[in-house]
Amino acid sequence: MTQVATEHHAAAATPSGTCYKVTMWESGALSTAQLDAWQEARRELLARMRDAGIKGARGTLTHLGEELRELSTRAVVAPLDTCALSQQPFTRVGALAAKLQREEQVLAYRLTPCTATVLVELSGEEGIDTLVSRWCTCTPEIIWHPTPLVEAISAAEAAEWQESCRQAEAAVAPEADTNADAEAAPEFHHVTVLREEAVAALQPAEGRVLVDATLGGGGHTELMLQGGATVWGIDQDPAARQAARKRLAAYADRLHIVAGNFRNAAELLKAQGVQQVDGLLADIGISSPQVDQAERGFSFLAEGPLDMRMNPAAPRSAADIVNTAAESELADILWQYGEERASRAIARRIVQERAKAPITTTTQLAAIIAAVLPRKGKQHPATRSFQALRIAVNDELGALDALLESGLSMLKSGGRFAIITFHSLEDRAVKRYFDRVTRPEIDRPEWPAPRPNPEYAARLVTRKPIMASEAELAANPRARSAKLRVIEKL
Ligand SMILES: C[S@@+](CC[C@H](N)C(=O)[O-])C[C@H]1O[C@@H](n2cnc3c(N)ncnc32)[C@H](O)[C@@H]1O
């Protein structure tokens, strides 16, 4: 299958007044019947709005305005989201992306192989029609549907949409993986944790489609492929994707590697025409090569740039946070994500030191922390602070929450959702979420009796988390803190 993705872009300008969201689609992406039904319902709503306007019925007008929006979402935007009409790569709309980036009025856009959604704030003489006809002209090989969907939205809604584009843009690595890259991939040594247990939970077999949301070096994926499954492997780190592509070259016909952040897994899969799958695994956290390569900046033991980005194209590195965040924000990061008791003292010292010279390397930061917190016992004093910064740089808990919230929607009935975590903050989030969706009923002290849980959608496959066996621990002490939890969609 051709590798396709969704391209996002958000400009720096912030919306200030009414904006327009223009949705264009390739002719044929929506059927004539779908379009006719939409137009008819739209005409009827517009006629009712006209009547309400004449009567000055403001409440009715607002209500009908909302109905009109819901109609557009239901009849146009949602079907386009699931449309996999054209599996052509982005080169086709590359010219459009280049044009949109130069347009002053364009605040953000999202392109898929058969749709373009553009956020515009008009300025000057040009109207939407002029802009749209210019965009169509620069993609002569695409026959766009002649009437795009144009929705007026407030500055606040526009800012929200622009931010979602910004996040998606940051999440998707820009480079395309190729087999040539795979050939050149350096050695990648990562010992897979709970390999058999996690893969067995997803029951790989011929004809089953599984997602490995944290492909890494491909340890879990390899076992899924050996079991006969087709696998979609997601990773935000280009080095991991290259390594997995090389290691699993023999399974190229059943392995599809996708660049991106698993927080957008549902969207990334939809862009590839994949709606629902039989199982999804996430082995949260970093891989050993990420820590071991000094130039990635994760380790306080080796001199390297203070980076820590799993996706090297992400906007904020550890150095950015350390050199620009307010002292209170730094202290909060160290406390919340590292449970570092000396968070305030360390944050204060960082701010004092960065006033003298920027903090740019791992060992420089480690020395600053060690000066505040002398070594006690075996653990290096910078351990907790480095963990905290890594979690903040990669927004690891935010990504996990987004994956949890969207995971079940990607699964068929009976599909399995398995997550391996390595520290209590992550495990707590998984445990809470799994508990939320597996309780048939909920109860509150103020209620006379328990009530059905509206979120009930899955069953626990194992009541307690699965942990590494003695044999695995002997071979890989890193597995000590790993916990695997699994649920099955009802
Ligand atoms: C623990 S490793 C996975 C190892 C893999 N299971 C194996 O056996 O080789 C975690 C991987 O997930 C990736 N990763 C972590 N957070 C991610 C996210 N939010 N989106 C996409 N990939 C992520 C990391 O880049 C890393 O390669």
Side-chain angles (χ1 to χ4, degrees), residues 36 38 42 58 79 112 124 160 189 191 193 235 239 250 263 297 308 310 317 326 341 348 368 393 395 401 437 451 490:
D36 287 349
W38 168 50
R42 189 167 174 269
R58 282 169 162 241
T112 74
E160 203 176 302
H189 296 292
V191 182
V193 170
D235 207 294
R263 73 190 317 144
M308 302 196 195
M310 292 193 213
S317 69
R341 290 213 204 128
R348 197 172 320 122
I368 292 169
V393 167
D395 186 21
D401 279 345
V437 295
R451 297 179 182 174
L490 295 175

Side-chain angles (χ1 to χ4, degrees), residues 190 192 212-220 234-237 240 260-263 283-287 290 310 399:
H190 176 84
T192 300
D212 185 345
T214 48
L215 177 66
H220 288 111
I234 302 174
D235 207 294
Q236 60 178 333
D237 183 347
N261 192 305
F262 62 56
R263 73 190 317 144
D283 173 15
I284 305 292
I286 40 176
S287 65
Q290 284 167 335
M310 292 193 213

Side-chain angles (χ1 to χ4, degrees), residues 380-392:
H380 189 287
T383 308
R384 287 183 298 276
S385 299
F386 268 61
Q387 170 190 302
L389 277 171
R390 192 202 87 205
I391 292 176

Side-chain angles (χ1 to χ4, degrees), residues 20 44 230 338 344 415:
Y20 297 90
E44 193 199 314
T230 293
R344 307 229 158 265

Side-chain angles (χ1 to χ4, degrees), residues 167 261-264 284 337 390-406 425-426 429:
Q167 286 183 5
N261 192 305
F262 62 56
R263 73 190 317 144
N264 307 312
I284 305 292
Y337 302 147
R390 192 202 87 205
I391 292 176
V393 167
N394 298 289
D395 186 21
E396 292 178 31
L397 295 175
L400 174 59
D401 279 345
L403 179 70
L404 288 171
E405 292 296 338
S406 62
L425 292 171
E426 293 164 344

